Amino acid sequence: MSKDFLLEIGLEEMPAKYITASAKQLQERIEKWLAENDLAYETTEVYATPRRLSVIVKALAEKQADRVEESKGPAKKIAKDEDGNWSKAAQGFARGQGVDPDTLEFREIGGVEYIYLTKEVTGANTVDLLSDMRQIILAMTFPVSMHWASYDLRYIRPIKWLIAMFGDQVIPFEITNVTTGNTTRGHRFLGEEVAIASPAAYEEALLGQFVVADAEKRKAAIVSQIEEIEAVENWKIPMDADLLEEVNNLVEYPTVLHGTFDEAYLELPEEVLITTMKEHQRYFPVVDEAGKLRPYFITVRNGNHEYLETVAKGNEKVLRARLSDADFFYQEDLKITIDEAVAKLKNIVFHEKLGTLTEKMVRVKKVALIIADHLNMTDAQKQKVSRAADIYKFDLVTNLVGEFPELQGIMGEKYALLQGEDSEVATAIREHYMPTSADGDLPQSDIGALLAIADKLETLTGFFCVGIVPTGSADPFSLRRSALGIMRIIQEKQWNIRILDILEDVVAIERADGLDELPSKEVFQEVQQFLNNRLRAILAEHQVRHDIIDAVIGGDLSVVPALIERATLLNKHRDADWFRPTIEALARVVNISKKYQTETKIDPALFENDSEAQLFEAVEKLKQAYPSLNVVERLQAFAGLRLAIDAYFENTLVMSDDENVRNNRLALLFELASFIKEFARIEDINVK
């Protein structure tokens, strides 16, 4: 027999951006609990609105299945004494199992007799277990939390009501003086409290109180209504998935409507209009067939279709005020020259230990020009790098960016173009912030990519120099994101620059500017390891095996694109028939070559068998070809050496009693090992 189970946590309105993840977390915690308690069920259904997180477990078994448990105890020689009486060990085992020692039996395992107890355990009734839901609710974690009244509990928002029902039976427990029941609350203004007769009636009962509990159904309703407006008005309404998700989590009963704004505001940059509508008002912009903005917007009301005209006018009034402010700020910004804006940056502290924005930009310019040298950029390109580094933060003092921080870089590019700056310089101002998230878009221009790396690397190194290092999950200055961005940009651009060489120069720049709380060597090593860890994260996302990651990175950051290519190549072939014997052969060469201590020139006259000569010839060919081989060809070359290596070790005693012969053989292996080690620490790859 089975029944449905309903758990609902009623809350004050939650932040929209955390609702979906919180509902998913509740569902996962319940499913994990069901598995741990061996409770059979059909499926789970999750519901979420701004005021509730709910899960229904369909067809939940009324009791755990009966089961047979087997327990292994002490060996017979320990369990009984010389007179055949039960020892204290056996009696303790029986007591722990809740049985009489005389019921114990022996079973032979591997030629030794052990106490073996078989018990039939009756499954517990589900209704007696469901009070554990209290602990599941309390165990929930959130990015933001609060406490209220005199309660110690911190939660995403205050808990206002609770439902825990197995069939029509309420499971009793209490949290912060809120006791479980079978009553939920409808829409804050349109609905009322309503009793839930059974979990199966939950969704329909809420709908009767103007709450669409299923988030996917709410979203589908919003999309359908938007598409209807598109058809009627002949508009195009781009469907921003993130905005749709947020709006969906702001409403319980969605009704889509549209409004308008003065066409004169279309003279503002589109980014200003879109940011105002999306970020500040949660409106969907309207465009024409060519993708050009039109003076309309779409919004979603948390309510029914009554008084929509009044609601639309209210939204229009709010947007008009926002756009009026934006227009004023824009016009004021046009009166400021870039040089005037840059001069103001000396009054803005980037960080109390790292100085002003002006001081930071001076350091970043030095780093950028060093990277430009490593990339062999032309003088013309370096001039653009220099100009971009001189001004790239100027828009931070503009009025529009002050009001709309989301537009930093974007307005910098637009203002730079309006004031006659080179287009590549203007683009770099916008792109240097990229990527803005772990998987965000990357800079496309070379100048923008270089400036982004320089800015992030200087920021990262500067904070490490003054002892501000991310610990655990705490990373208030997003240094992990900066490091990951550096790695991603270098990989995207396929820039074969030795990042460690650049890092040495960056550390020197920071210390010369007075950022010297930690020794240079310590900073260098810490930043190197920090960047290494971000590269490991990139490779892990590519499903590269951890031992292969260790083998390729090997403590030396080296050239990032080459490292990633070697790691992914080795990972790709890890299951090939030739892979294991090749890795074993190469690892044997590397391990034995470590015994090479005396610098010795290889002398073919000391070879004592054909295998030595053949391996020497193969190594000489590899030495000649290696510089011109790509990564794939180098791995193929190593694989081609395997038979010669195997034959060499089969026919040759490396550690000969003759010192000259021994050193000659070690020299040959050492030379071959130098190529292998340049490719990867092959001996770290697990092929067992």
Side-chain angles (χ1 to χ4, degrees), residues 553-568:
I553 294 180
D556 182 0
L557 206 57
S558 188
V559 178
V560 172
L563 287 173
I564 294 176
E565 186 178 8
R566 292 203 295 273
T568 52

Side-chain angles (χ1 to χ4, degrees), residues 164-193:
M165 296 178 63
F166 187 44
D168 60 1
Q169 181 179 356
V170 173
I171 306 299
F173 59 83
E174 169 268 326
I175 299 176
T176 61
N177 280 343
V178 177
T179 303
T180 53
N182 66 341
T183 302
T184 187
R185 300 183 187 181
H187 190 281
R188 183 176 287 279
F189 305 112
L190 302 175
E192 300 175 345
E193 288 191 355

Side-chain angles (χ1 to χ4, degrees), residues 434-635:
M434 302 169 76
T436 56
S437 63
D439 56 353
D441 293 337
L442 298 174
Q444 295 302 301
S445 73
D446 286 349
I447 307 298
L450 184 153
L451 188 59
I453 293 172
D455 181 73
K456 291 171 175 59
L457 188 57
E458 190 281 329
T459 298
L460 181 65
T461 308
F463 275 113
F464 272 71
C465 278
V466 296
I468 299 176
V469 180
T471 56
S473 60
D475 187 12
F477 301 104
S478 300
L479 299 185
R480 291 188 181 93
R481 190 177 72 192
S482 293
L484 184 62
I486 293 168
M487 297 291 100
R488 289 186 61 211
I489 293 170
I490 294 174
Q491 167 63 7
E492 174 72 14
K493 284 294 183 180
Q494 289 292 294
W495 281 344
N496 293 320
I497 53 177
R498 288 190 59 84
I499 193 70
L500 294 186
D501 293 344
I502 296 171
L503 179 58
E504 285 186 351
D505 292 330
V506 178
V507 173
I509 290 169
E510 302 298 306
R511 292 184 65 79
D513 210 30
L515 309 182
D516 56 1
E517 289 189 19
L518 296 177
S520 297
K521 184 177 181 180
E522 181 177 339
V523 172
F524 178 84
Q525 292 173 341
E526 290 293 327
V527 176
Q528 176 188 351
Q529 186 59 48
F530 196 74
L531 291 169
N532 252 339
N533 290 339
R534 304 289 78 74
L535 182 56
R536 289 175 184 276
I538 291 174
L539 291 171
E541 286 181 2
H542 284 78
Q543 307 301 314
V544 177
R545 210 168 63 192
H546 288 292
D547 59 308
I548 293 177
I549 294 176
D550 291 338
V552 172
I553 294 180
D556 182 0
L557 206 57
S558 188
V559 178
V560 172
L563 287 173
I564 294 176
E565 186 178 8
R566 292 203 295 273
T568 52
L569 180 65
L570 287 167
N571 197 66
K572 175 183 177 181
H573 293 293
R574 66 189 187 187
D575 295 323
D577 292 340
W578 56 267
F579 188 79
R580 176 176 177 174
T582 297
I583 297 301
E584 289 177 336
L586 298 177
R588 190 175 183 185
V589 169
V590 171
N591 288 329
I592 296 179
S593 71
K594 294 175 182 177
K595 298 179 181 179
Y596 177 72
Q597 296 178 341
T598 304
E599 187 172 336
T600 302
K601 184 177 181 180
I602 302 171
D603 182 2
L606 293 175
F607 295 160
E608 296 180 347
N609 59 62
D610 292 341
S611 297
E612 287 188 86
Q614 290 168 1
L615 182 60
F616 173 73
E617 183 179 344
V619 171
E620 287 297 304
K621 289 181 179 178
L622 178 66
K623 188 192 309 182
Q624 295 296 321
Y626 199 80
S628 62
L629 299 180
N630 60 36
V631 172
V632 174
E633 292 168 338
R634 288 180 179 182
L635 183 57

Side-chain angles (χ1 to χ4, degrees), residues 166-426:
F166 187 44
D168 60 1
Q169 181 179 356
V170 173
I171 306 299
F173 59 83
E174 169 268 326
I175 299 176
T176 61
N177 280 343
V178 177
T179 303
T180 53
N182 66 341
T183 302
T184 187
R185 300 183 187 181
H187 190 281
R188 183 176 287 279
F189 305 112
L190 302 175
E192 300 175 345
E193 288 191 355
V194 60
I196 305 299
S198 68
Y202 174 72
E203 192 174 357
E204 186 177 351
L206 278 174
L207 186 59
Q209 300 302 318
F210 297 93
V211 174
V212 180
D214 188 320
E216 291 304 315
K217 290 181 180 178
R218 277 201 316 280
K219 188 181 294 185
I222 293 171
V223 171
S224 176
Q225 292 177 57
I226 289 177
E227 290 175 345
E228 184 177 340
I229 291 176
E230 277 186 314
V232 171
E233 302 293 342
N234 195 29
W235 293 342
K236 292 293 181 183
I237 304 169
M239 199 63 64
D240 183 312
D242 292 336
L243 179 60
L244 177 60
E245 180 73 16
E246 183 175 7
V247 168
N248 190 47
N249 285 332
L250 286 169
V251 300
E252 291 193 315
Y253 195 79
T255 299
V256 178
L257 63 144
H258 60 84
T260 185
F261 59 87
D262 194 323
E263 285 192 51
Y265 290 122
L266 292 176
E267 297 299 318
L268 288 168
E270 282 194 355
E271 291 84 356
V272 175
L273 293 170
I274 291 172
T275 298
T276 302
M277 285 188 275
K278 283 187 175 182
E279 302 295 333
H280 292 261
Q281 299 303 125
R282 286 16 176 212
Y283 296 163
F284 293 88
V286 176
V287 300
D288 60 20
E289 291 289 344
K292 187 177 180 180
L293 277 177
R294 300 194 64 185
Y296 307 102
F297 64 88
I298 301 296
T299 187
V300 182
R301 177 194 189 186
N302 185 23
N304 57 20
H305 286 75
E306 294 182 2
Y307 311 113
L308 285 187
E309 185 176 340
T310 302
V311 176
K313 287 181 179 178
N315 280 275
E316 289 171 352
K317 182 178 180 180
V318 173
L319 182 60
R320 183 166 58 250
R322 284 279 190 183
L323 294 180
S324 177
D325 288 345
D327 183 54
F328 172 78
F329 293 142
Y330 181 63
Q331 298 304 326
E332 289 296 303
D333 286 344
L334 294 179
K335 300 175 184 178
I336 306 172
T337 67
I338 291 177
D339 289 342
E340 289 171 339
V342 169
K344 293 181 180 181
L345 295 174
K346 68 176 180 293
N347 299 317
I348 299 178
V349 175
F350 173 66
H351 185 274
E352 61 180 352
K353 290 188 174 184
L354 299 176
T356 66
L357 278 173
T358 297
E359 291 170 321
K360 173 180 173 55
M361 290 169 63
V362 170
R363 296 193 296 267
V364 169
K365 180 177 179 178
K366 294 176 182 178
V367 176
L369 291 174
I370 288 171
I371 297 173
D373 284 336
H374 279 265
L375 290 172
N376 297 316
M377 284 189 165
T378 65
D379 289 341
Q381 288 175 311
K382 289 179 182 178
Q383 288 178 359
K384 293 177 182 179
V385 170
S386 179
R387 179 57 180 168
D390 281 337
I391 66 173
Y392 75 106
K393 293 289 188 182
F394 83 89
D395 65 335
L396 294 181
V397 299
T398 61
N399 293 285
L400 260 180
V401 172
E403 180 70 11
F404 305 109
E406 304 90 346
L407 293 176
Q408 62 182 9
I410 295 172
M411 294 313 301
E413 178 183 35
K414 291 192 172 297
Y415 290 147
L417 290 172
L418 286 172
Q419 296 196 34
E421 292 290 341
D422 180 88
S423 61
E424 288 186 78
V425 171

Side-chain angles (χ1 to χ4, degrees), residues 95 116 131 193 213 225 360 390 474 681 688:
R95 187 165 51 251
Y116 229 84
S131 59
E193 288 191 355
Q225 292 177 57
K360 173 180 173 55
D390 281 337
R681 292 197 315 201
K688 300 301 182 183

